[in-house]
Amino acid sequence: MQSLKVVDYMNQHPVEFDVEMSVAQAVELLLAKQQTGGPVVDHNRCVVGFISERDCMEKMLASSYYREQVARVKDVMRTDVLTVRPFDSIIDLAQMMTGQKPKIYPVVDDLKKLIGTISRRDVLHAIDVQLHEGYKAVG
């Protein structure tokens, strides 16, 4: 099972955000794509942050309470983004995900450019497929 790689199970067309996008636009995109969060990229598609439903919800609540101006993604995104590489092990990633780590990881190339994302659901799917194939080989 150690041969399972991120590249084989990652989402190659993830939702992505721009720093200047409004939080309201980000929410609409999250809802439309049925994602819980996604990477924020610069004009070169390098990952510069991450925004989640929770980040958006907190800002939208504050905005509605204080009747503030529209917030931008850059105002609420996290900049300490944990990323993975395409040929990293799914098993290693699964072990990282069992702690308090993110539910979604941007997958980046050597230049930190976004090439996909991988979520807990993707990792569970990879392990499930591998286990089923193992049962078939034994049976």
Side-chain angles (χ1 to χ4, degrees):
M1 207 180 320
Q2 193 65 21
S3 65
L4 292 174
K5 300 296 178 201
V6 167
V7 68
D8 297 321
Y9 293 93
M10 70 182 191
N11 175 357
Q12 295 180 28
H13 305 287
V15 61
E16 56 187 75
F17 304 92
D18 179 88
V19 292
E20 293 301 326
M21 181 182 286
S22 72
V23 171
Q25 289 173 307
V27 167
E28 290 175 13
L29 192 53
L30 286 172
L31 294 173
K33 300 289 186 174
Q34 298 182 345
Q35 297 287 309
T36 59
V40 180
V41 296
D42 65 14
H43 63 279
N44 292 320
R45 296 198 73 236
C46 292
V47 175
V48 296
F50 193 91
I51 190 166
S52 69
E53 290 173 323
R54 182 178 181 214
D55 301 325
C56 293
M57 190 179 305
E58 287 174 354
K59 189 61 177 179
M60 289 178 78
L61 281 171
S63 293
S64 67
Y65 182 76
Y66 293 109
R67 304 217 192 293
E68 292 179 341
Q69 293 291 331
V70 176
R72 301 274 169 219
V73 166
K74 66 182 175 186
D75 301 324
V76 298
M77 71 181 194
R78 282 174 269 133
T79 57
D80 57 337
V81 183
L82 296 175
T83 61
V84 295
R85 305 292 186 122
F87 296 103
D88 285 351
S89 163
I90 288 279
I91 301 306
D92 292 344
L93 179 56
Q95 290 171 339
M96 287 173 36
M97 286 181 156
T98 60
Q100 295 293 328
K101 301 294 182 188
K103 297 175 185 175
I104 301 171
Y105 285 75
V107 182
V108 297
D109 65 14
D110 292 337
L111 301 173
K112 301 288 184 193
K113 289 188 179 189
L114 181 68
I115 58 172
T117 58
I118 190 156
S119 68
R120 285 184 182 169
R121 179 168 289 163
D122 299 326
V123 171
L124 280 173
H125 174 71
I127 295 169
D128 184 57
V129 166
Q130 188 71 17
L131 287 174
H132 278 63
E133 288 176 3
Y135 292 141
K136 289 177 187 174
V138 173

